[in-house]
Each structure stands twice: as structure tokens, then as C-alpha cells.
Amino acid sequence: QVQLVESGGGLVQAGESLRVSCTVSGLTFSSCAMGWFRQAPGKERECVAAISRSGTIKYYADSVKGRFAISRDNAKNTVYLQMNSLKPEDTAVYYCAADATAFSFTIYRRPAEYADWGQGTQVSVSS
């Protein structure tokens, strides 16, 4: 059974930091391209960061570039999203996603490219 379990969300003030984690089971994690998405009320789900199987290729949305950092620990089956200098507009439910069919240096940015999803964790940033 495939499971992606996010943790680490919460309520913070603008300018503060949070790290969200996603632990994967039921998949060969090292074969998975991983992504972090977010969805705010009334908005489409958007990719904020993605990482290739080996971690060598990374993508960031322009809105988070320079503030967020994605990383992975294949030994722990976990992908992280470090979020610094948070802004109220970062408020959303954050989801991790996995695709186990990716080539080594592939990253995906569209939700339809990911087969498996976590349940989401709420990140709220107050001004």
C-alpha cells in the first residue's frame, strides 16, 4: 500500500520559517521523482518545488525561489521543503507527490504527472 504522509505544517508569522516533511512507504523512494504542491482556497493546485530521483535536479516556482528549498533523504524515504521568509500569500494546504516511473534526471511540475499524493498539511502565515 502506497502512503505519503506529510508533517510539519502549522501557523507562523510572516518572516518566520517552517519545514514540512513527507515520508513515503510502499514505493521504492529512490526511484521516485518528488514534488511539493500547494493549494489555497479558490485557487488551482500549483507546484512550488520538485526534485529528481537523485536530488541533483531541482525546480522552484518563481514565487518561492530564494526562499524555499527542497531536499530528499533516500535513506529515510523522506522529502523535505524548507520554507523561509514566509509570507501571508504562502498560506495553503501543502501536498507532496511521487512518481515512481521517472527517469533519473526528470522533474515534473504538473499534478497529472504524479501518481501518488499525500493528504496535505496546512501552512498558515499571519501578517
Side-chain angles (χ1 to χ4, degrees):
Q1 182 182 1
V2 176
Q3 281 192 312
L4 284 71
V5 180
E6 298 102 336
S7 61
L11 172 64
V12 297
Q13 293 188 331
E16 293 184 341
S17 298
L18 270 180
R19 187 178 79 161
V20 290
S21 304
C22 172
T23 300
V24 178
S25 59
L27 292 172
T28 302
F29 182 74
S30 59
S31 296
C32 294
M34 299 297 300
W36 281 102
F37 289 75
R38 68 186 180 189
Q39 189 165 22
K43 294 190 176 182
E44 292 187 354
R45 190 170 295 193
E46 63 168 341
C47 182
V48 296
I51 189 167
S52 61
R53 288 165 49 177
S54 64
T56 54
I57 309 297
K58 299 178 183 180
Y59 161 81
Y60 296 100
D62 288 343
S63 58
V64 306
K65 205 170 291 183
R67 300 188 298 121
F68 289 13
I70 188 171
S71 61
R72 64 189 298 159
D73 185 337
N74 286 351
K76 295 183 178 179
N77 289 1
T78 300
V79 62
Y80 305 97
L81 185 68
Q82 177 67 43
M83 303 181 288
N84 300 325
S85 301
L86 282 160
K87 303 176 180 180
E89 51 263 44
D90 294 318
T91 295
V93 178
Y94 283 71
Y95 300 89
C96 69
D99 187 86
T101 65
F103 293 107
S104 296
F105 300 105
T106 300
I107 55 170
Y108 296 131
R109 292 180 285 176
R110 294 180 297 172
E113 293 175 310
Y114 288 91
D116 297 290
W117 292 81
Q119 81 288 350
T121 186
Q122 177 71 46
V123 172
S124 299
V125 185
S126 64
S127 57

